[in-house]
Amino acid sequence: MKAERESEHLRVLIRRASIERRVRQLARKITTDFRGDRVHLIGVLKGASIFLSDLIRDIGLEVSLDFIAVSSYGQSTRSTGQVRLTKDLDTTIEGLHTILVEDVLDTGLTLDYLQRVLLQRKPRSLRLAAFLVKAAPRVKQIRPDYVGFEIPDEFVVGYGLDYAERYRNLRDICVLELPGGRDPRPPIPPSLPR
Ligand code: IMP
Ligand code: MG
């Protein structure tokens, strides 16, 4: 295990300063889009927690917060296609301007599932914010309203994103390179509808 970790290599993709600048821009956009209103932010645990905590501090509106958790990846790093709610919201979103905040949009399965679950609960509006969006062959076509960065189809860590629960605390977004150029993700299961 230790030997394997030592041969993992991190290549910086997005530096801390660019992240800070971009998150501030997104927060300003949200502030103007909802001018004068209250917004309710829902973070998808655990990856979005760092993005969310930076974002809210630059939103100049009345803001409330909640968290939701899903499982789809487990210890592995590619979606099984099965999304399951593992922690529900604490409070109702009925009648609220709601923004779902996610760390990265890869296949789109997670956001597609959560969007459907949340819309059933009659929010006043529902928008999606994704810190990263991958240029990947998506399973579900989802276009978030707020996007931090579009990135190549590579496995990244840092700023909340993990590899087997590690690297969430990195300040930069880094591509995780494994020995021998291995992709950390197993292939998308062929059973998934495309
Ligand atoms: P999707 O359902 O395939 O769109 O994947 C979304 C979830 O997969 C995210 O919430 C992440 O937890 C995880 N994920 C996808 N790509 C990456 C990555 O490059 N690094 C870390 N986690 C990822
Ligand atoms: Mg996640």
Side-chain angles (χ1 to χ4, degrees):
M1 191 64 203
K2 188 152 181 290
E4 169 143 350
R5 276 184 207 190
E6 278 164 8
S7 55
E8 288 172 11
H9 184 254
L10 298 171
R11 171 166 52 85
V12 175
L13 185 65
I14 310 169
R15 292 201 179 276
R16 167 188 183 176
S18 316
I19 294 174
E20 286 171 0
R21 216 177 307 122
R22 186 69 187 130
V23 172
R24 227 173 289 130
Q25 286 171 350
L26 292 180
R28 270 202 293 266
K29 181 81 171 66
I30 291 172
T31 306
T32 27
D33 287 356
F34 291 94
R35 200 191 312 273
D37 274 319
R38 166 188 170 192
V39 285
H40 187 65
L41 268 58
I42 297 177
V44 185
L45 292 173
K46 304 170 210 171
S49 58
I50 296 188
F51 173 42
L52 179 66
S53 60
D54 281 346
L55 191 67
I56 52 165
R57 282 176 286 178
D58 279 313
I59 297 179
L61 302 170
E62 188 184 330
V63 170
S64 50
L65 266 193
D66 205 344
F67 290 95
I68 200 164
V70 292
S71 78
S72 63
Y73 279 51
Q75 286 292 93
S76 115
T77 51
R78 180 61 105 173
S79 181
T80 54
Q82 301 287 323
V83 185
R84 193 167 52 84
L85 217 60
T86 56
K87 184 225 169 284
D88 205 339
L89 300 174
D90 290 340
T91 54
T92 177
I93 57 167
E94 193 172 336
L96 298 178
H97 285 304
T98 303
I99 305 176
L100 182 61
V101 181
E102 171 65 312
D103 54 1
V104 54
L105 174 63
D106 186 7
T107 63
L109 287 162
T110 307
L111 280 183
D112 176 69
Y113 170 80
L114 286 175
Q115 196 175 18
R116 279 185 285 118
V117 167
L118 295 183
L119 282 173
Q120 285 167 1
R121 301 181 183 187
K122 305 196 168 41
R124 183 156 162 209
S125 64
L126 177 65
R127 292 199 181 182
L128 304 178
F131 177 62
L132 301 175
V133 171
K134 285 196 198 177
R138 304 274 167 63
V139 177
K140 299 283 181 187
Q141 289 305 319
I142 299 227
R143 188 63 226 162
D145 304 278
Y146 305 101
V147 172
F149 299 91
E150 303 200 359
I151 61 165
D153 186 20
E154 292 186 283
F155 194 81
V156 292
V157 293
Y159 200 65
L161 289 102
D162 73 307
Y163 173 57
E165 296 301 327
R166 287 153 47 224
Y167 301 123
R168 292 193 197 273
N169 55 331
L170 299 179
R171 292 180 186 274
D172 304 317
I173 287 287
C174 300
V175 174
L176 178 70
E177 291 168 343
L178 296 183
R182 248 191 313 133
D183 191 322
R185 301 167 294 187
I188 297 183
S191 59
L192 282 182
R194 290 271 186 148

